[in-house]
Amino acid sequence: MPALNRVQLIGRLGKDPEGSFTPTGKKVTQYSLAVDNRWKNASGETNESTEWVNIEAWGRLAEICDEYLHKGSLIYVEGRLKTDRYEDEGQIKYFTKVVALSMQMLDKKPAEEPMMQVEEEPGDYEVLQQE
């Protein structure tokens, strides 16, 4: 049976990306993305909600995120959902994140600067252990 695991989001970073290296030397960067949703209710009032999504980038894409992204950056990110688990005070907890496969910066730049798009090849990713 065919399967599809793809996520596409546009949002702003909630804080600066945090990069680190795995014990085997692979670069990984994590950041949170705020995705806004606006709608009008039956009386015509505008409502707004924000979803916070944890993003994880690997390899060269992680390096680009570390170097160019900062709190408030507007980006498009495409990736796949991944659920990890960890133990906290004897209880097993689960959390879902997006493993980024491509990212495009959407902030307005001067006309002479080209827009940058980075795509990461799917690969073998390591599972990060939560402390």
Side-chain angles (χ1 to χ4, degrees):
M1 179 169 143
L4 177 65
N5 183 356
R6 174 169 280 174
V7 176
Q8 297 174 316
L9 300 167
I10 293 177
R12 293 196 180 274
L13 271 68
K15 60 181 179 177
D16 290 339
E18 297 176 6
S20 61
F21 290 91
T22 66
T24 60
K26 290 185 180 179
K27 176 74 172 182
V28 60
T29 297
Q30 298 172 330
Y31 53 92
S32 58
L33 193 68
V35 180
D36 293 328
N37 184 25
R38 292 184 186 97
W39 71 95
K40 289 191 178 188
N41 61 19
S43 62
E45 296 173 346
T46 301
N47 293 320
E48 183 176 329
S49 69
T50 301
E51 292 291 330
W52 287 93
V53 182
N54 293 318
I55 311 290
E56 182 177 275
W58 290 84
R60 180 68 180 133
L61 183 57
E63 294 171 11
I64 298 283
C65 290
D66 257 356
E67 186 174 345
Y68 294 103
L69 299 182
H70 54 83
K71 180 179 179 177
S73 293
L74 180 64
I75 65 166
Y76 164 83
V77 64
E78 186 171 335
R80 62 181 175 83
L81 290 175
K82 183 169 187 333
T83 301
D84 286 339
R85 64 181 231 168
Y86 64 98
E87 190 171 328
D88 183 28
E89 298 178 5
Q91 286 188 327
I92 294 181
K93 297 188 177 186
Y94 296 88
F95 65 97
T96 302
K97 61 189 170 190
V98 173
V99 176
L101 300 174
S102 68
M103 181 272 299
Q104 186 171 355
M105 293 174 265
L106 301 177
D107 288 320
K108 297 203 188 279
K109 298 284 184 189
E112 66 273 1
E113 289 186 34
M115 189 170 283
M116 181 182 293
Q117 180 172 344
V118 178
E119 291 192 16
E120 180 74 10
E121 291 295 321
D124 297 324
Y125 298 106
E126 298 179 14
V127 174
L128 293 179
Q129 299 298 321
Q130 296 295 320
E131 296 176 14

